[in-house]
């Protein structure tokens, strides 16, 4: 398994699965979620609503799967991260771990993850980077894990922490 850190727009990444930083209602109105639906098409939003109608809203830390619409990926895994100051960072760890578990279940080889909870939900990049480093060290049956950072500063923080955490 190889882990890559990359800078840019996650919708441009070639991976079997793209992880979305979602909210409990899977309403993709802002941040990375909006970028995914804008490029992937409204079917992603429609499938998301269908999921919530059937199963109810997701709890923090949980994930749901939809197609990737017009994106090259096979699936989107929508992961609900915690809100800073309201929900604890163990939920961020859960959201990351559940995303990778779901990818394994889907029998895919590659997955791209954004910095969950570090946008609208307000977590510091450093906390997210440490959680990612911890979870990625676990034994995953995936060939390639790409962590995709949007801001230059986010990329620098992740690079430093990944180096520190080995
Ligand atoms: P959350 O509500 O979980 O904080 P956001 O979508 O607001 O989710 O932000 C999560 C992270 O995704 C932030 O660091 C943000 O800068 C980043 N981001 C926003 N757009 C994109 C994109 N197109 N590709 C990758 N990362 C993105």
């Amino acid at each position: 398994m190889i882990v890559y850190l990359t800078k840019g727009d996650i919708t441009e990444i070639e991976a079997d699965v793209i992880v979305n930083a979602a909210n409990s209602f899977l309403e993709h109105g802002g941040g990375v979620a909006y970028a995914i639906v804008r490029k992937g098409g409204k079917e992603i939003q429609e499938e998301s609503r269908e999921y919530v109608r059937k199963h109810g809203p997701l709890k923090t830390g949980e994930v749901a799967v939809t197609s990737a619409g017009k994106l090259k990926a096979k699936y989107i895994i929508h992961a609900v991260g915690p809100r800073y100051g309201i929900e604890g960072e163990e939920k961020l760890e859960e959201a990351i771990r559940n995303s990778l578990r779901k990818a394994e279940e889907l029998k895919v080889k590659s997955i791209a993850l954004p910095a969950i909870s570090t946008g609208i939900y307000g977590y510091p990049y450093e906390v997210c980077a440490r959680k990612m480093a911890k979870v990625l060290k676990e034994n995953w049956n995936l060939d390639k894990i790409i962590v995709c950072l949007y801001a230059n500063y986010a990329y620098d923080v992740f690079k430093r922490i990944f180096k520190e955490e080995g």
Side-chain angles (χ1 to χ4, degrees), residues 66-135:
T66 67
S67 79
K70 297 175 191 61
L71 296 176
K72 270 184 268 169
K74 296 187 177 120
Y75 306 100
I76 307 291
I77 294 178
H78 304 271
V80 182
R83 287 163 292 173
Y84 190 55
I86 301 171
E87 295 160 308
E89 56 185 70
E90 73 285 353
K91 296 283 177 192
L92 185 47
E93 194 173 319
E94 243 177 71
I96 298 163
R97 190 175 289 114
N98 283 333
S99 297
L100 297 176
R101 255 190 212 139
K102 186 57 80 178
E104 282 188 342
E105 262 174 59
L106 293 166
K107 300 196 184 309
V108 296
K109 296 280 171 224
S110 58
I111 181 169
L113 297 119
I116 298 170
S117 285
T118 64
I120 297 159
Y121 282 2
Y123 261 91
Y125 292 127
E126 178 148 357
V127 177
C128 184
R130 287 200 197 283
K131 290 300 182 193
M132 286 259 191
K134 177 178 177 190
V135 175

Side-chain angles (χ1 to χ4, degrees), residues 140-153:
W140 298 104
N141 187 20
L142 295 159
D143 292 346
K144 193 156 113 179
I145 300 180
I146 305 153
V147 181
C148 177
L149 290 322
Y150 201 53
N152 290 334
Y153 176 65

Side-chain angles (χ1 to χ4, degrees), residues 38-55:
R38 194 183 47 203
K39 199 130 174 225
K42 62 180 188 322
E43 55 264 49
I44 297 173
Q45 180 63 77
E46 283 161 5
E47 285 175 44
S48 296
R49 288 195 181 129
E50 186 56 34
Y51 182 94
V52 174
R53 260 197 300 276
K54 250 194 210 151
H55 306 277

